[in-house]
Amino acid sequence: MSPPEGNIALLRSQRLFERLLALYPKPHLEKYGPAMAQLFRDQCRDAWRSRRAWGLVALWFHVVPDLVATSILEHLSTLNGKKTMLEKISEITSPGLTPLRTFLTVFAIVFLLVFGATAVITFLLPETYASVVRIKIEPAAATSGQPTLPATGWAYDPYLIQTEFEILQSSSVLGEVVKRLGLSAKWAGDREEGKALPIPEAIQLLAARVEVRPVRNTSLIEMRAFSPDPSEAAAIANTVAEVYHYQRVEKRRQLVQDGIAILEKQFQEHEQKIHSAQLEVDQLREALGISGFDAAAGASTPTLEAETTRQLQGQLITAETALAREQTTLRELAKLSVEQRRDAIQTTIGSDGELVTLLNEHHLARQRLTALQKDYSAESPVCQNAMALADETARRIEQRVEGMMTGLRARVAVQQAAVETMKGLLETSRAADIEKAKRNRPFHEASLRLEELKRARSVLDLKLSSERLNAALPQTALVEIIDRASPSLQSVRPNKPRNLFLGALGGIALGALAGAALAGGSFSIGRKPPAAAVAG
């Protein structure tokens, strides 16, 4: 079995630092070398534990400049202590050298040190591979009163993508990934044998290796996993996607199941209430002696049949109309004179055969009397007999008219009595029906409660059937893994060309500064006269 990547990086860093210690003077190296090497080893272990490979990189960027500067200072300090600093620098740079050669020499040394350290650190860093998985997400189905997307019925959530980002990187998802892949034991590193990483620490390390971002103008999420092992990177990416898919679908399924359980409980409660209400209705019906017809009425309103009520009201209106007509006729005929009443009664009441006969006889008697009066005097017996006959017919006509008026009065009285009787019957029936409705009201109210409970049970039954159907349908549309991750053939970290380019730029800049400073110092020393000559 190959050693863990952390041990390899630490070992290479320590060996490189021990070789770089050769830059110090030999006396200094013999005196402080082992302590400096031990201190660097401790710093390497601390850096690896805190930030892994990036901790080592940061440590090297701190150590290299310090090592170059202190090694130069130590070489200066080993020279003759009575000489000035400028003279020490001049000795290091060889007095025979020109400022240009001094600059080039120092520039080359510093450039090689910086560029070499950068190259060594770059190649010391473990290679990191990336694997990408693409996930398509959809919002959950809308609930009552929630805004929906057009033509889909899905619930509209403007923060859906950001919310799912946080869920993908949450401890619930990453913790399950750590357990499935055994990352606590795999990433234990330089810990004691058999001692795994704590789960929270493993989750933090995993979170640092996972990167999530949206695919622009789509509902896709792209998730990248990084690892020195390409197979491990692909396994992490696929497992994160699978765990997220399972948890979201399972959560939706659990919500549906919880909703079904609540609906089933409410349905059973309604069944119990309906059973109790039905018993109450049956007891009230038996106690009040309610017939099937009254029970079918189903409300606490008068139970008189609508058709019977309409018939009674229609008959009453007809009778009242006829009574008013007869009363008006009687009143108007009473206002007329005998002759006017005799002529009007036949048109108002109707033709009477006896009256017509009497009128004909009276007209004939009057015609005969008129004819006799032309030939005889009024005192003659013939005229007197004809006059007596005309008067008799006139009396009989008056008697007949009076008899018809009496009959009309009797008819008015009869119709009025019938109207009063009909009103009394209708009022009696209504009062009895209202009284019956009051007596039956508890039964009808109980029946109404029973019907309301049955309607509520029907609504619950429909909702329960809908939820059961929804639970039976596949929920994979909520999350779909579009592209699974596969092991990458090329590493993404470190970026060797970029690091070498930056190391070269840094070496050029630092070499130019150091070379210019030393070249300028040696030039100044070369122009200054020796101290002995000045004293002489």
Side-chain angles (χ1 to χ4, degrees), residues 399-417:
Q399 289 178 350
R400 184 58 186 166
V401 169
E402 185 61 30
M404 293 177 67
M405 290 292 293
T406 301
L408 180 59
R409 293 190 190 96
R411 190 165 60 189
V412 168
V414 169
Q415 289 181 351
Q416 189 169 5

Side-chain angles (χ1 to χ4, degrees), residues 245-255:
H245 173 272
Y246 172 78
Q247 288 190 357
R248 187 156 189 235
V249 173
E250 181 65 18
K251 181 180 179 182
R252 177 63 181 170
R253 188 192 65 80
Q254 188 61 43
L255 287 175

Side-chain angles (χ1 to χ4, degrees), residues 22 41 45 132 144 161 192-193 208 242 268 328 476:
R41 283 195 292 272
R45 282 195 293 270
V132 181
S144 177
I161 298 296
E192 298 178 7
E193 187 174 354
E242 290 168 0
Q268 293 299 326
T328 303
T476 54

